[in-house]
Amino acid sequence: MNAAASARLLVPLCLAACLFGCGGAAAEHPASSAAPSPSPDPPQVEYLSSASTAAGFYDIVLHGDGTGNLVYYDYGTMQCVYLSSQPNSDHRDESDTSFLPTVVGGAWALADSRHLYVLKDTCPFANDEALEAGYLMRMEHSGQGRQTVPLPSDTRLFGGCAILGEDKMLTTLCQVKEDTSEEWYMAEVDFDTGTIRRRLDFEGASAVQLTGACARGPILILREPEKERRLCLYDVEQDALEPIPFDIEDETWCLDDTSGTIYCLEGSEICRYDVASGQRQSTGRSLPAGDWTEAAVNEFVDGYLSVTLSGPGEEDYDRIALCLATGEVFRPGMEDEGKPVTVAAVTPEGYLVKLGGIPVKYQDYTPDGVPFENEAFLSHYAMMDKADYWNDRPNWREFTNLAYEKYSLL
């Protein structure tokens, strides 16, 4: 197969990979989130957990030629539109503020109160230098004022980032040498100067994931050859790693990635561990009594701790969401298109939820280069009241999706 055919084959495969992060007795109006992290100082490091702001949510749509566009879900108007200053444009070139020149290999949007960011991984197998390029991009919420820092061609980006002092970005990068050996390091990205600086080398690491942050710095999961994964804090002032005393393989805790708080079980008691201070205290809540023999902590969302309680039998389990403010137990279990309905962002209007997906057709290729029509799924978002979500009532409200009206991957 020639290079052009290889590129045609690879782009749809990369695109397909990118397209695919309670009961009736419960209270009608869920309480507000649990008490904030005990650390009294405002964080100097902010972990970016989603592409949501108080006004709306950002996402990326992909095209069959490997380019993409930013779209915006407006919470006020309940419309999804291209993030474009040219509403009558076809949005397919760099004159449009929504256009992204390449998303092959994976690209995702993140936001804070000041900026919108796009992170795009290097894809060394696209047989097209322009499509292969990786980059880190910062812009205004309107899509204007872009600042782009290109990734070196030998460097991979695996996601997870934090903003340091409102201006610079911290993320983990992996440089792949000619002999295929890897060097992982903590990178500091300066959008104003267009530079990337190595802050700390993770010597001997085979993978490093930035998974949250506290006031002192990013929280990392490190993997080393023939060793168990470990949880660490990167102290930005000391420029050093500090172990966090929780076993990665243990299922009795989870991290609230934006506050730097770990929620953990001590028997049936629920405790809170502040990573920045190293202090542990009780939340004053416990798991409900019952016949369960094991408990696995799943996630923490907006003051609710999700836990799976298991009994002796394979089918004997109960997934609950415990409100840490009131102690009430909820059992949300909604599905859409066979997939769980999950909270994508907490908003002033309620929850932005992710549904099962919107099917779209696209042209794919067999290993021999023969074209055929395949199906992928675009992200599908809607809004829900908090009370409806926790009480398992599927009353989500759809956006009018103007961006998808004429969308096609074919």
Side-chain angles (χ1 to χ4, degrees), residues 181-201:
S181 63
E182 298 178 348
E183 291 185 0
W184 291 79
Y185 60 96
M186 176 65 70
E188 179 181 292
V189 183
D190 189 325
F191 289 98
D192 292 328
T193 63
T195 58
I196 298 175
R197 179 172 76 90
R198 286 197 186 206
R199 287 185 62 108
L200 181 71
D201 288 320

Side-chain angles (χ1 to χ4, degrees), residues 62-64 92 360-362 404 406-410:
L62 319 172
H63 300 291
R92 297 307 306 277
V360 293
K361 304 292 184 182
Y362 71 97
Y404 287 178
K406 299 180 180 179
Y407 180 82
S408 174
L409 276 170
L410 292 173

Side-chain angles (χ1 to χ4, degrees), residues 21 47 157-162 170-174 184-186 202 205-213 218-224 229-234 241 244 248 255 257:
Y47 179 72
L157 168 72
F158 291 89
C161 69
L170 298 177
T171 190
T172 56
L173 297 177
C174 176
W184 291 79
Y185 60 96
M186 176 65 70
F202 301 109
S206 59
V208 184
Q209 177 185 358
L210 198 159
T211 191
I219 297 169
L220 309 169
I221 296 177
L222 277 76
R223 182 190 295 274
E224 297 168 302
R229 295 181 300 163
R230 56 193 177 99
L231 193 66
C232 294
L233 165 65
Y234 171 61
L241 293 178
I244 300 174
I248 292 290
L255 172 68
D257 51 21

Side-chain angles (χ1 to χ4, degrees), residues 137-152:
M137 186 182 293
R138 185 178 75 176
M139 66 194 79
E140 299 169 10
H141 287 161
S142 64
Q144 305 277 1
R146 289 191 183 186
Q147 297 171 295
T148 302
V149 179
L151 288 178

